[in-house]
Amino acid sequence: MASLNVGNLGEYLREQRRNAQLSLRQLADAAGVSNPYLSQIERGLRKPSAEVLQQVAKALRISAETLYVRAGILDERERDELETRAVILADPSMNERQKNVLLQIYDSFRKENGFEPGAGSGSEAGSETGGEFGSGAGADGRPGADGPRTAGGSDADTASKPSKPSH
């Protein structure tokens, strides 16, 4: 986790508040925190909780994760991972199975590159995807009666497998 940098956070909050054309009192009211407390945060004298940062972010209409990074609560890489996962999960063009498979691939690449998969990574959905990628195999892994067939009606798999020697 990154180190605490409340001064940088305070400067950033003041800048965002001014860009939103809000007074300190207006932002404090909108965020549900006291005016003196918000002033102390802006001056770098107080370390706000994640909950307070979330309320302030909502009032400013900015990303709470950005404030968490500025406050040292969340590492930049953790934020990037959370945002990547959120985008994948929010994509309306994919179904849930596809989203889970994509998250598993994402996790495997991150692990390969030395990063641990994050919380809620979707890794637990691995066993649900096997059936759709198979080739009509039964529970024991061998083609069943409804497995793929050639144009002549024979099992497609038997044509490519070497026959077992008879004893």
Side-chain angles (χ1 to χ4, degrees):
M1 193 181 305
S3 62
L4 187 65
N5 190 355
V6 290
N8 184 24
L9 170 67
E11 293 168 16
Y12 180 75
L13 281 176
R14 182 178 295 121
E15 180 183 319
Q16 294 301 310
R17 178 177 58 78
R18 289 179 177 161
N19 287 343
Q21 299 179 340
L22 293 172
S23 70
L24 193 63
R25 186 173 304 281
Q26 288 171 320
L27 179 56
D29 288 343
V33 298
S34 75
N35 189 29
Y37 181 61
L38 186 57
S39 174
Q40 290 174 345
I41 293 170
E42 280 194 1
R43 290 181 287 144
L45 302 175
R46 286 289 188 128
K47 176 181 103 175
S49 67
E51 183 179 327
V52 167
L53 288 175
Q54 185 175 21
Q55 291 169 236
V56 170
K58 186 176 179 182
L60 288 170
R61 294 189 171 113
I62 61 174
S63 163
E65 286 80 8
T66 300
L67 293 184
Y68 296 160
V69 169
R70 295 265 180 177
I73 295 172
L74 185 66
D75 186 85
E76 184 75 30
R77 284 187 240 161
E78 292 173 18
R79 182 190 75 167
D80 291 345
E81 178 187 358
L82 290 172
E83 288 177 352
T84 300
R85 291 181 185 290
V87 168
I88 291 170
L89 292 170
D91 189 333
S93 68
M94 292 188 290
N95 64 38
E96 292 305 310
R97 181 195 61 79
Q98 292 167 329
K99 291 175 187 180
N100 284 333
V101 169
L102 187 53
L103 286 172
Q104 290 171 4
I105 293 168
Y106 176 68
D107 283 342
S108 70
F109 284 145
R110 284 182 53 82
K111 188 173 182 180
E112 183 178 309
N113 293 334
F115 297 99
E116 288 299 316
S121 64
S123 306
E124 56 279 351
S127 61
E128 296 173 11
T129 60
E132 291 194 43
F133 294 114
S135 59
D140 61 358
R142 292 181 291 164
D146 59 341
R149 298 194 175 268
T150 62
S154 65
D155 285 344
D157 282 52
T158 56
S160 63
K161 289 183 182 175
S163 59
K164 292 182 183 176
S166 56
H167 293 282

